[in-house]
Amino acid sequence: MKESAEHTAFFFTGERIASFQLIRSLRVREHSECWLAAKRDTGLPVAVKFLHRKHPRIPQFYDASEFLKNSACPFLIRVFEIGETAQEMPYAVMEYADAGSLRKRLAKGGTLPLPEAVRLLRGMLLALRELHEHGIVHRDVKPDNIWLMSDGTFRLGDLGTAKIPGIPEKPGAVFGTASYLPPEQAHDSTGVDARSDLYSLALVLFEVLTGKRRRAKIDNFAEALKGVLADRSAPPVAELRFAATEKLAFLLGRMMEYSPALRPESAARILEELDAMELF
């Protein structure tokens, strides 16, 4: 078994499960773990996510994995196979993002050039449009969940906290990543809609364009939530103007409005406005 910073992996390097063989652990959490693996017949590198039997979101995991397996959207992480181990632990085999996360890219370079940032925005809007049209709200859009492929394209992944239609949730629960959380999600994460993902995506774009987080990272989640709810400052359009066009800065500012009612209504609507800017 392999140690992580906090938890011990259930599986081990070299273990063979179904059609793949584990190579090394990528992330180990209390009730889940993700591994780099290889398909045994082709050697294709893949990522495999396992949920432990006590994981509280197993039904959501199966539904989200099935959705990603059937989706044709090229900007969502693709799932190849869904199964269950001999120990009754569900897993999903998905494409491996060989160029790492957007978080890793920003740690190296600080910002993205405007043309690449626009490609990122458009790709993530297409991914969100696909999710939202099927009633799914991601609820954790952030650089850590956006993945880069070696061909330069982006993928949105990790639907671990996604709102899945048909699966009830207890009202009042709050979860997500505070640095990218929209105010309404900091109040009640179960009642959000597509406009919450648009807010989080705008915070990501602010970071990739300016090299700064809109919100400082606070380790204490409760204190961070208080800050999210209390901050009613105007969207930072002035700062965005230095790194983007006037129209793009204004569009991102509207996506970051405190009230969902003031934001664009959908990813599809934003795509229309973005394409009209002819930034490509």
Side-chain angles (χ1 to χ4, degrees), residues 27 49 55 57 60-69 71 76-77 79 94 127-128 131 136-141 145 147 156-164 197:
R27 183 178 65 241
K49 184 173 182 178
H55 197 288
R57 290 179 59 86
Q60 290 93 329
F61 177 79
Y62 275 124
D63 282 5
S65 298
E66 192 66 36
F67 172 81
L68 292 174
K69 184 179 179 182
S71 175
L76 288 169
I77 284 287
V79 168
M94 62 198 81
L128 291 175
L131 294 177
I136 300 172
V137 184
H138 191 286
R139 296 194 295 200
D140 201 18
V141 178
N145 288 336
W147 301 92
L156 178 62
D158 199 343
L159 300 185
T161 59
K163 183 178 181 180
I164 306 295
D197 285 343

Side-chain angles (χ1 to χ4, degrees), residues 43-97:
L44 176 73
V46 293
V48 185
K49 184 173 182 178
F50 299 92
L51 296 193
H52 298 177
R53 288 185 296 176
K54 293 183 179 180
H55 197 288
R57 290 179 59 86
I58 288 178
Q60 290 93 329
F61 177 79
Y62 275 124
D63 282 5
S65 298
E66 192 66 36
F67 172 81
L68 292 174
K69 184 179 179 182
N70 294 322
S71 175
C73 179
F75 299 101
L76 288 169
I77 284 287
R78 183 183 175 191
V79 168
F80 302 120
E81 179 184 336
I82 306 165
E84 187 177 275
T85 69
Q87 299 83 11
E88 300 181 338
M89 295 170 60
Y91 66 80
V93 182
M94 62 198 81
E95 62 182 333
Y96 175 61

